[in-house]
Amino acid sequence: MPLSDNAAPARYPLAIIGAGALGLHFAARLADVLRVAVIGRDAEHAARLRAGVEVGGQRYCADAFAAAQPPRADWVIVLVKAGDTTAAATIAERMQPLGVLSLQNGLTGDLLRAHCRAPRVDQGITTEGAYRERTAAGERVQPSGAGETLLPPGFEPVAQILAQAGLHARIEPDIARARLAKLLVNVAINPLAALYRVPNGALLEPPYREALDTLVREAWPVLHAEGLALDLDAALARVHAVATATAANRASMLQDVLAGRRTEIDAITGALLQMGARQGRALPTHAAIHRQIKALEPPAAA
Ligand SMILES: NC(=O)c1ccc[n+]([C@@H]2O[C@H](COP(=O)([O-])OP(=O)(O)OC[C@H]3O[C@@H](n4cnc5c(N)ncnc54)[C@H](OP(=O)(O)O)[C@@H]3O)[C@@H](O)[C@H]2O)c1
C-alpha cells in the first residue's frame, strides 16, 4: 500500500506501469490533476518512489505499488521497455482496467493483447521525452522536450486526463498509420545511431548518410504496403527532419547499448522484418543491422 497521507482509493482512475524516465515524467504531470498509481518493479522500488524522487526539478512522492501487488485502476498506461511488455501485460490484467494503452516505442500492441484481456488494449505514440540521471542522492528524471501524444479511438478519457495535465494529447483516428510513421523513423535512426555510437544529427552527414537513406528506401515499400501514408520522398524527408530536430540527442537504443542493456530492436527492426516476411519482401540491410544490434546485447537472463 502507498504511504501517502490520503488512503489509497479502492480503484485508481489511472495507473502507470513502468516508473522509469517517461513513466515518472507522465505520472508527475498527471498527479497534479488526479490520483495516479505508479507500479514499480518491486517493493523496494515502490518504497523509493513513495519516499520521493526528483522529476523535472520537483520532488514527486508517488502513490507507488510493487508489481506483485498492483491496485485496481480504470485506465493503465504501459511505459516499460518493449522487452518487458509481457510482464507489464500480466500486471495490467490484474488491475481489472477498462483499457490498457501502450505508449512504448516499437510495435508492442499485439504482444500486450496476447497477454492482457482488458476490454480495450491498444498502442498510441508519444514524442514526449525524458531521461534518467544518476545523482549523489540516487536518481532523477529530466524532461527532455515537450511533444505530442496520439491515442487510439476508445481512449478518450485518457486523452482528456492528459490534456487536463497540460500535455499535448489527442485521439488519432488512424493510429495505425501514425504508428507506421513512427516506426519508419525508429527503424532508420535508432539502430544506426546505436551501431555507430553517434548522436542523431551525425547520421545526416557522410559517412552515415548513405546507410540512413538505404534503411529508409528498403523499409518504405514494406511500410507503404502496410498503410504508411507517405511516398518515398516524403518518407526520406520525415526521417531527415527528425534527425535534424533531434540532432544533439543520443537515441534510446544508443543509450541502451552504452549501458550494456537489452535494446528495443526486436519491437522496432524485428517488427519491420516480420512485416517483410509476411509480404515476401527481403530486407537484407535491416536484417543485418538487427543481427549486429543483437550481438551487442547482454545474454538473456536464464
Ligand atoms: N524516454 C523517452 O524519452 C521516451 C520517449 C518516447 C517513447 N519512449 C518509450 O517509452 C518506453 C519506456 O521508456 P523509458 O525511457 O521510460 O524507459 P526506462 O527509463 O528504462 O523505464 C522503464 C521502467 O520500467 C521498469 N520495469 C521493467 N519491467 C517492469 C516490470 N515487470 N514491472 C514494473 N516495472 C518494470 C524499469 O525498471 P528497471 O529500471 O528495474 O528495469 C524502469 O523503471 C520505451 O518503450 C521507450 O522506447 C521513451
Side-chain angles (χ1 to χ4, degrees), residues 17-24 39-42 45 67 78-82 84 87-88 91 103-106 108 126-132 139 144 182 252 256 261 264 268:
I17 302 178
L22 206 56
L24 286 176
I39 314 305
R41 200 181 254 286
D42 52 26
H45 189 196
V78 173
L79 278 169
V80 297
K81 287 284 179 78
D84 296 313
I91 299 164
L103 290 176
Q104 300 160 281
N105 271 329
T108 58
T126 187
T127 54
E128 283 288 321
Y131 59 93
R132 291 195 273 176
E139 208 177 52
S144 57
K182 182 149 197 211
S252 61
D256 288 337
R261 293 187 294 252
E264 297 187 296
I268 295 175

Side-chain angles (χ1 to χ4, degrees), residues 8 36 40 73 75 131 171 205 224 227 229 239 301:
V36 183
W75 300 96
Y131 59 93
I171 297 292
E205 307 296 333
H224 193 252
V239 171

Side-chain angles (χ1 to χ4, degrees), residues 2 26 33 48 72 87 119 130 139 170 185 211 215 248 265 283 297:
F26 271 102
V33 295
R48 271 191 281 126
R72 293 186 184 178
E139 208 177 52
R170 66 173 172 84
V185 170
L215 287 178
I265 193 77
L283 292 154
E297 292 188 347

Side-chain angles (χ1 to χ4, degrees), residues 239-256:
V239 171
H240 297 163
V242 173
T244 303
T246 61
N249 291 11
R250 290 205 298 197
S252 61
M253 200 173 289
L254 171 57
Q255 294 177 40
D256 288 337

Side-chain angles (χ1 to χ4, degrees), residues 45-94:
H45 189 196
R48 271 191 281 126
L49 296 167
R50 289 195 296 263
V53 53
E54 189 186 319
V55 183
Q58 309 267 339
R59 188 159 193 78
Y60 168 52
C61 296
D63 271 29
F65 296 79
Q69 289 179 305
R72 293 186 184 178
D74 290 340
W75 300 96
V76 177
I77 299 179
V78 173
L79 278 169
V80 297
K81 287 284 179 78
D84 296 313
T85 302
T86 304
T90 309
I91 299 164
E93 181 165 293
R94 293 178 56 205

Side-chain angles (χ1 to χ4, degrees), residues 11-298:
R11 206 174 157 80
Y12 278 82
L14 190 94
I16 295 182
I17 302 178
L22 206 56
L24 286 176
H25 167 60
F26 271 102
R29 294 289 298 267
L30 295 171
D32 287 342
V33 295
L34 84 177
R35 294 288 292 272
V36 183
V38 173
I39 314 305
R41 200 181 254 286
D42 52 26
E44 192 262 326
H45 189 196
R48 271 191 281 126
L49 296 167
R50 289 195 296 263
V53 53
E54 189 186 319
V55 183
Q58 309 267 339
R59 188 159 193 78
Y60 168 52
C61 296
D63 271 29
F65 296 79
Q69 289 179 305
R72 293 186 184 178
D74 290 340
W75 300 96
V76 177
I77 299 179
V78 173
L79 278 169
V80 297
K81 287 284 179 78
D84 296 313
T85 302
T86 304
T90 309
I91 299 164
E93 181 165 293
R94 293 178 56 205
M95 300 170 85
Q96 302 180 18
L98 303 171
V100 179
L101 173 72
S102 161
L103 290 176
Q104 300 160 281
N105 271 329
L107 296 189
T108 58
D110 287 347
L111 194 55
L112 211 47
R113 266 187 293 276
H115 295 273
C116 177
R117 286 163 301 172
R120 291 189 188 85
V121 181
D122 210 337
Q123 185 171 16
I125 57 172
T126 187
T127 54
E128 283 288 321
Y131 59 93
R132 291 195 273 176
E133 247 179 7
R134 290 235 161 268
T135 64
E139 208 177 52
R140 71 174 162 225
V141 170
Q142 292 286 29
S144 57
E148 189 179 33
T149 302
L150 305 183
L151 299 90
F155 287 85
E156 287 76 7
V158 183
Q160 207 175 352
I161 291 167
L162 295 179
Q164 275 166 8
L167 294 159
H168 194 23
R170 66 173 172 84
I171 297 292
E172 169 53 56
D174 201 342
I175 196 72
R177 283 190 181 184
R179 281 195 300 259
L180 289 171
K182 182 149 197 211
L183 189 66
L184 166 77
V185 170
N186 278 336
V187 296
I189 293 178
N190 247 310
L192 270 194
L195 207 55
Y196 294 122
R197 303 183 183 220
V198 294
N200 295 352
L203 299 175
L204 294 166
E205 307 296 333
Y208 312 114
R209 172 64 173 262
E210 198 182 328
L212 183 74
D213 289 358
T214 299
L215 287 178
V216 177
R217 288 179 202 285
E218 197 174 283
W220 180 80
V222 172
L223 295 173
H224 193 252
E226 295 284 326
L228 177 73
L230 296 173
D231 64 24
L232 178 56
D233 286 344
L236 284 161
R238 169 74 63 101
V239 171
H240 297 163
V242 173
T244 303
T246 61
N249 291 11
R250 290 205 298 197
S252 61
M253 200 173 289
L254 171 57
Q255 294 177 40
D256 288 337
V257 164
L258 292 176
R261 293 187 294 252
R262 277 180 305 158
T263 72
E264 297 187 296
I265 193 77
D266 288 333
I268 295 175
T269 304
L272 175 72
L273 293 174
Q274 278 180 12
M275 288 175 192
R278 274 202 311 271
Q279 295 174 19
R281 286 180 213 259
L283 292 154
T285 320
H286 287 278
I289 284 221
H290 182 261
R291 283 193 300 274
Q292 285 169 291
I293 296 288
K294 291 304 281 182
L296 297 175
E297 292 188 347

